[in-house]
């Protein structure tokens, strides 16, 4: 599906020929471009094996010159595990989660999954986490949701040592972590980067102080430039950390037929939509900047 979408843009006399499309994919705003695979791909009609399909799409992503594939976490597959399998099968790309809700997955469990993925992919895994939605998590798991920012800070404080193979205990108000044995995973190098789905000022402050970056969704250039990037960069600098990574997720369509892509999805057009969703196209951007 991904390869077909890109080729359609290159074979016709549309706005993006093959060279221009690849240049955009590789060099848009001087950044890398990747693809998000979410619930749409996982629940596609006729899908016979989710892992096989994810690997197939990852090969197409790499063939198209894109650099990363991101997997969302819902109630079906396990995002870190799928990222590990795909990253091991396709060594030309980096993989990551976008994003795993922190609640109620304990930091010990998520750290173990992330370190395993890092070892499986030879260091090409990034862990995207987020608070999730109270209205979804509470009824889904039947557990009361803790204070959001307090929980986010404590989660990140507990998670970082575990990702580094540090067996130190952490006791907070919303969670406790007391490893009963070694937490190091051979081959889980370099350090797993943690990106937080943060857009509000308090969440961005926590991400800048305690994580490696942010992974916002549906934030446009103005919001990024005026709010998100300055806030998280200032927080990171104040904490003495390196400049944060910014992974901005934006739905897009790669096509030479903007009118067709702009129409509401129907039975005849759904198959041509990109995996993970669709929106009004502008030119021929790819799915995610990273």
């Amino acid at each position: 599906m991904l390869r077909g979408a890109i080729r359609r843009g290159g074979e016709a006399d549309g706005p993006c020929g093959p060279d221009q499309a690849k240049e955009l994919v590789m060099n848009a705003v001087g950044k890398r471009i990747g693809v998000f695979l979410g619930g749409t791909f996982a629940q596609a009609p006729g899908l016979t094996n989710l892992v096989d399909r994810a690997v197939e799409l990852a090969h197409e992503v790499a063939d198209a010159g894109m650099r990363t594939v991101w997997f969302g976490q819902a109630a079906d597959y396990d995002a870190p595990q799928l990222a590990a399998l795909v990253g091991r099968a396709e060594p030309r790309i980096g993989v990551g989660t976008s994003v795993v809700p922190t609640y109620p997955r304990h930091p010990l469990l998520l750290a173990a999954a992330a370190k395993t993925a890092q070892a499986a992919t030879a260091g090409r895994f990034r862990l995207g986490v987020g608070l999730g939605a109270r209205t979804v998590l509470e009824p889904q798991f039947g557990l009361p949701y803790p204070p959001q920012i307090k929980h986010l800070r404590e989660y990140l404080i507990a998670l970082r040592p575990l990702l580094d193979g540090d067996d130190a205990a952490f006791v907070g108000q919303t969670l406790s972590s007391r490893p009963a044995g070694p937490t190091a995973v051979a081959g889980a190098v370099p350090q797993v980067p943690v990106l937080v789905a943060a857009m509000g000022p308090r969440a961005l402050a926590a991400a800048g102080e305690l994580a490696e970056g942010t992974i916002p969704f549906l934030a446009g250039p103005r919001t990024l430039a005026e709010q998100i990037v300055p806030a998280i960069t200032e927080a990171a600098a104040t904490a003495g950390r390196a400049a944060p990574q910014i992974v901005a997720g934006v739905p897009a369509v790669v096509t030479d037929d903007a009118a067709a892509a702009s129409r509401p999805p129907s039975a005849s057009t759904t198959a041509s939509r990109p995996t993970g969703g669709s929106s009004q196209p502008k030119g021929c951007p790819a799915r995610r900047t990273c």
Side-chain angles (χ1 to χ4, degrees), residues 78-90:
D78 180 74
Q81 185 175 178
L82 186 58
L85 292 167
V86 170
R88 191 165 184 84
E90 176 47 84

Side-chain angles (χ1 to χ4, degrees), residues 195-209:
L195 307 173
V196 179
M199 294 181 69
R202 292 191 296 164
L204 286 167
E209 295 170 25

Side-chain angles (χ1 to χ4, degrees), residues 139-174:
Q140 182 171 353
F141 294 102
L143 299 170
Y145 199 87
Q148 290 184 314
I149 301 303
K150 183 68 173 178
H151 175 70
L152 176 61
R153 285 185 169 276
E154 291 190 349
Y155 198 98
L156 295 174
I157 292 171
L159 181 65
R160 180 75 269 164
L162 296 172
L163 289 173
D164 298 339
D166 186 337
D167 307 333
F170 171 81
V171 178
Q173 295 179 19
T174 68

Side-chain angles (χ1 to χ4, degrees), residues 13 16 32 44 51 55 62 71 99 113 118 125 133-134 136 169 175 184-185 188 205-206 209 215 242 245:
D13 293 328
C16 292
R32 294 180 297 174
V51 175
V55 170
F71 297 94
V99 294
Q118 185 73 321
F125 176 75
R134 179 194 297 268
V136 174
L175 65 89
V185 173
E209 295 170 25
I215 189 164
Q245 301 177 29

